[in-house]
């Protein structure tokens, strides 16, 4: 007999007992008894339906899964304890068990009834909570999977697509030509850091980086040889933007050269960059007048640094030590940083090489008219020339000869476009006949020594492009070529011993560079003499 048959037998048995009992009652009580019988039949019918559902559910679950995975695990365990192993194993294996003996039929019926009510109780609210929990767990797993996919996509290697900026191109034009989302430049312009991409320069390379789905993830742009702007995107929005330092190696190198025609040509032939050439002129500018003092046969030796990456030069570093010999006089300068990290140049005794004023406001120029009385080229009258004229091509940068404040940036009669600077103490300087002003030069602005303040022109009463430069002390005009202004401060006594050690080491390197140059020069001279 199967479990279903045993259960139906138990129900039928209970029904027969109830019917016989009702028939034995007196007729007066049969009406009430019939109502009671209908209720009992309704109850037993419901019980049969629920029992059948439970048996079908349990049998199907046992066939499909292990017992420990059944919904309502507690009831499954109770069923295992109540039903003999032979029956349970047969149901789990979907085979017909041996027909149970009579003594087990009552046990089966009672077990079925108890488990039916237990199953009905367990199918209520706990099942709804389980469904809600399962839904929440599913949503959590979906979110976790999405995050994992996003992280994996971000971690994967990006594909680079460089674009060299051409004349007339803006960020929007580049995005259109690269067929990228045109909404991205708008969001870039709104970001406080990323908006630097809106000021791109011709000749530089902007690097677009894409993931495997060909989605733009990052933009790299070099702000300088040692600084790079990195913009990370999430769709069209700017996720992150920062200016990062480019990793590089600092390489120390040396050069030596002899001037045959001009300082610029000699420095260029020796491999010295324009930037370091200008730095050398600034260092020795107080002791040497590079407009008048330079002669054929003058020599210079420099120890300096360069920034390299992967064997290629990124940018110039600093001049560490330099020696310049002109007209038989040798000048040596050593770079040294103070406790605040501010670097300056000093001679071997620790005295500053930098004067409070530069000797010349224009680099690589010639003096076309000196300080003193002269015949004016336009009025043809003799009058005092209260400054020095430096002839240079139109557009040549004009430097502030000392730190100061702009008290005039505008037109001034026959001077044309003019800048007047007030310096510390009793000094002021005037720069006239400018073609235009440098960015940021206006009344009240502060400038640093060597900063470009304008460009050579021929505005006002001028016969050609040149700079008219005046130097005033307490309002009186002085000859800027001969007036001795004080030098900058020297090494503090507390740092003197530290400086002397650094100067000795760099001095040895300069001596070695100089000896190597002289030896190479001597060998070259001997070879030439042998050929003759």
């Amino acid at each position: 007999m199967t479990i279903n048959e045993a259960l139906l037998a138990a129900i039928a048995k209970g029904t027969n007992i109830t019917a016989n009992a009702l028939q034995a009652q007196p007729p007066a009580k049969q009406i009430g008894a019939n109502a009671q019988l209908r209720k009992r039949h309704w109850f037993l019918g419901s019980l049969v339906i629920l029992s059948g559902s439970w048996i079908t559910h349990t049998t199907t679950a046992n066939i499909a899964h292990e017992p420990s995975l059944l919904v309502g695990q507690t009831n499954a365990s109770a069923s295992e304890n109540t039903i003999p192993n032979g029956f349970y194993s047969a149901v789990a294996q979907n085979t017909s068990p041996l027909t149970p003996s009579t003594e087990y039929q009552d046990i089966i019926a009672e077990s079925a009834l108890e488990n039916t009510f237990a199953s009905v109780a367990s199918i209520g609210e706990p099942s709804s909570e389980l469904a809600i929990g399962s839904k929440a767990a599913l949503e959590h797993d979906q979110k976790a999977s999405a995050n994992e996919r996003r992280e994996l996509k971000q971690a994967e290697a990006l594909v680079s697509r460089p674009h060299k900026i051409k004349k007339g191109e803006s960020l929007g034009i580049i995005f259109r030509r690269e067929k990228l989302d045109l909404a991205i430049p708008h969001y870039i312009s709104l970001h406080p850091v990323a908006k630097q991409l809106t000021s791109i320069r011709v000749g530089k390379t902007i690097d677009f980086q894409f993931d495997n789905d060909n989605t733009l993830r990052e933009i790299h742009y070099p702000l300088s040889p040692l600084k790079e702007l990195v913009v990370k995107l999430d769709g069209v929005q700017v996720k992150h933007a920062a200016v990062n330092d480019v990793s590089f190696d600092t390489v120390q190198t040396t050069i030596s050269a002899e001037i045959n025609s001009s300082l610029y040509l000699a420095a260029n032939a020796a491999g010295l960059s324009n930037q370091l050439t200008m730095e050398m002129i600034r260092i020795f500018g107080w002791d040497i007048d590079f407009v008048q003092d330079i002669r054929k046969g003058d020599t210079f030796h420099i120890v300096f640094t360069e920034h390299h990456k992967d064997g290629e030069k990124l940018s110039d570093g600093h001049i560490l030590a330099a020696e310049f010999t002109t007209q038989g006089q040798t000048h040596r300068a050593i770079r040294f940083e103070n406790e605040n990290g501010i670097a300056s140049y000093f001679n071997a005794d620790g005295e500053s090489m930098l004067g409070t004023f530069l000797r010349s406001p224009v680099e690589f120029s010639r003096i076309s008219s000196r300080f003193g009385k002269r015949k004016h080229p336009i009025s043809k009258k003799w009058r005092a020339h209260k400054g020095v004229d430096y002839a240079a091509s139109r557009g040549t940068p004009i430097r502030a000869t000392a730190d100061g404040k702009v008290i005039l940036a505008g037109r001034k009669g026959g001077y044309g476009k003019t800048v007047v600077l007030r310096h510390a103490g009793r000094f002021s300087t005037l720069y006239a006949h400018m073609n235009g002003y440098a960015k940021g030069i206006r009344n009240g602005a502060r400038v640093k020594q060597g900063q470009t303040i304008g460009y050579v022109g021929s505005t006002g009463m001028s016969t050609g492009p040149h700079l008219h430069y005046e130097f005033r002390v307490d309002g009186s005009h002085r000859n800027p070529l001969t007036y001795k202004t004080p030098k900058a401060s020297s090494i503090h006594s507390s740092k003197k011993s530290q400086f002397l050690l650094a100067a000795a080491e760099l001095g040895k390197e300069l001596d070695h560079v100089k000896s190597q140059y002289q030896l190479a020069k001597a060998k070259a001279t001997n070879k030439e003499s042998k050929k003759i």
Side-chain angles (χ1 to χ4, degrees):
M1 180 181 292
T2 63
I3 296 176
N4 296 345
E5 292 172 349
L7 183 59
L8 293 174
I11 295 172
K13 183 178 179 181
T15 305
N16 292 334
I17 295 171
T18 305
N20 293 334
L22 290 174
Q23 289 176 1
Q25 291 181 358
K29 297 182 179 180
Q30 285 186 0
I31 297 175
N34 289 336
Q36 186 178 0
L37 179 60
R38 285 194 298 270
K39 291 181 180 179
R40 191 175 292 257
H41 285 175
W42 176 86
F43 173 76
L44 291 175
S46 300
L47 187 61
V48 170
I49 295 172
L50 292 174
S51 298
S53 300
W54 177 82
I55 291 170
T56 303
H57 170 74
T58 305
T59 303
T60 305
N62 284 334
I63 293 171
H65 304 284
E66 291 294 330
S68 60
L69 300 178
L70 292 175
V71 178
Q73 187 174 355
T74 305
N75 294 333
S77 299
S79 176
E80 290 177 6
N81 295 332
T82 305
I83 300 175
N85 293 332
F87 293 100
Y88 183 81
S89 301
V91 173
Q93 297 175 9
N94 197 21
T95 60
S96 299
L98 296 175
T99 302
S101 59
T102 307
E103 61 181 334
Y104 286 118
Q105 293 182 5
D106 294 336
I107 297 174
I108 294 170
E110 292 176 2
S111 175
L113 292 174
E114 292 175 0
N115 286 327
T116 299
F117 288 111
S119 298
V120 172
S122 65
I123 293 173
E125 294 181 358
S127 63
S128 62
E129 293 178 358
L130 180 61
I132 294 173
S134 300
K135 183 178 180 181
L138 181 60
E139 292 178 353
H140 180 271
D141 291 342
Q142 290 175 347
K143 290 180 180 179
S145 299
N147 292 333
E148 290 176 359
R149 289 194 300 270
R150 188 179 297 110
E151 291 175 359
L152 288 173
K153 185 172 289 187
Q154 292 174 353
E156 67 187 5
L158 299 178
V159 179
S160 175
R161 190 199 299 173
H163 178 95
K164 190 170 183 179
I165 302 170
K166 303 177 182 64
K167 186 176 181 180
E169 284 187 332
S170 64
L171 190 62
I173 293 174
I174 293 173
F175 267 70
R176 186 179 296 109
R177 290 178 177 175
E178 293 290 339
K179 297 181 181 180
L180 300 174
D181 195 326
L182 297 180
I184 296 177
H186 170 70
Y187 288 103
I188 287 176
S189 66
L190 300 178
H191 195 276
V193 178
K195 67 180 181 181
Q196 297 179 75
L197 270 177
T198 59
S199 300
I200 55 179
R201 292 187 177 182
V202 176
K204 288 189 175 183
T205 299
I206 184 169
D207 188 16
F208 299 103
Q209 298 193 0
F210 301 82
D211 60 18
N212 291 336
D213 295 333
N214 201 31
T215 301
L216 181 60
R217 291 295 178 186
E218 295 183 8
I219 303 174
H220 295 241
Y221 177 73
L223 297 176
S224 69
L226 303 181
K227 297 287 184 181
E228 182 183 50
L229 175 63
V230 178
V231 179
K232 296 185 178 181
L233 301 172
D234 186 4
V236 298
Q237 301 282 347
V238 176
K239 181 180 179 182
H240 179 71
V243 178
N244 299 331
D245 293 327
V246 176
S247 60
F248 61 87
D249 299 322
T250 300
V251 179
Q252 182 173 306
T253 186
T254 61
I255 66 159
S256 297
E258 180 177 337
I259 300 174
N260 293 317
S261 57
S262 71
L263 171 62
Y264 177 78
L265 293 177
N268 189 40
L272 192 66
S273 67
N274 292 342
Q275 178 180 336
L276 291 180
T277 302
M278 297 301 105
E279 183 69 7
M280 181 179 65
I281 292 173
R282 187 181 74 87
I283 293 170
F284 294 107
W286 177 255
D287 295 306
I288 302 172
D289 188 341
F290 284 93
V291 176
Q292 302 183 81
D293 296 344
I294 301 301
R295 298 289 186 273
K296 182 179 180 180
D298 292 349
T299 59
F300 57 89
H301 313 279
I302 303 177
V303 179
F304 62 98
T305 60
E306 293 178 338
H307 303 309
H308 289 234
K309 183 176 182 180
D310 299 330
E312 296 184 1
K313 178 182 175 182
L314 291 179
S315 66
D316 295 311
H318 302 287
I319 293 177
L320 302 180
E323 180 181 289
F324 202 104
T325 301
T326 178
Q327 299 185 39
Q329 293 185 346
T330 298
H331 307 272
R332 179 171 286 192
I334 306 294
R335 187 177 190 269
F336 185 74
E337 291 186 3
N338 61 16
E339 61 276 6
N340 298 323
I342 300 175
S344 189
Y345 292 89
F346 306 87
N347 62 18
D349 297 325
E351 297 177 352
S352 178
M353 292 290 298
L354 304 179
T356 52
F357 287 85
L358 299 177
R359 293 289 295 271
S360 173
V362 182
E363 300 163 346
F364 299 117
S365 61
R366 66 178 179 84
I367 295 176
S368 57
S369 182
R370 295 179 178 273
F371 184 90
K373 196 172 184 180
R374 68 160 188 177
K375 187 177 182 180
H376 196 276
I378 294 179
S379 65
K380 306 299 181 181
K381 294 181 180 180
W382 286 91
R383 64 174 67 175
H385 187 231
K386 299 179 180 180
V388 176
D389 290 349
Y390 294 89
S393 59
R394 191 182 307 274
T396 301
I398 300 171
R399 306 177 300 169
T401 52
D403 295 353
K405 180 180 179 181
V406 179
I407 60 175
L408 173 65
R411 286 190 171 271
K412 184 177 174 65
Y415 286 116
K417 292 182 178 180
T418 305
V419 170
V420 178
L421 303 179
R422 178 183 292 122
H423 308 283
R426 307 172 296 159
F427 306 102
S428 64
T429 53
L430 178 145
Y431 312 80
H433 306 307
M434 287 185 172
N435 186 57
Y437 309 102
K439 184 179 180 180
I441 300 301
R442 57 185 179 277
N443 292 348
R446 294 279 181 181
V447 297
K448 293 290 185 181
Q449 185 181 62
Q451 178 180 338
T452 300
I453 59 175
Y455 305 94
V456 171
S458 58
T459 56
M461 295 182 65
S462 172
T463 57
H466 72 282
L467 170 69
H468 176 77
Y469 174 66
E470 294 183 3
F471 184 83
R472 302 173 184 177
V473 180
D474 294 330
S476 300
H477 294 83
R478 300 296 179 90
N479 187 348
L481 301 177
T482 58
Y483 188 85
K484 293 294 183 181
T485 59
K487 284 192 173 183
S489 58
S490 300
I491 293 290
H492 194 271
S493 57
S494 62
K495 296 290 182 179
K496 191 69 175 284
S497 59
Q498 183 179 352
F499 166 77
L500 292 176
L501 290 175
E505 291 295 326
L506 291 172
K508 290 180 181 179
E509 293 192 36
L510 275 177
D511 292 337
H512 178 71
V513 172
K514 186 176 180 180
S515 63
Q516 292 293 320
Y517 170 75
Q518 291 174 346
L519 180 61
K521 184 178 179 180
K523 289 181 178 180
T525 303
N526 291 334
K527 287 183 179 180
E528 291 179 0
S529 61
K530 288 180 180 180
K531 289 180 181 180
I532 296 174

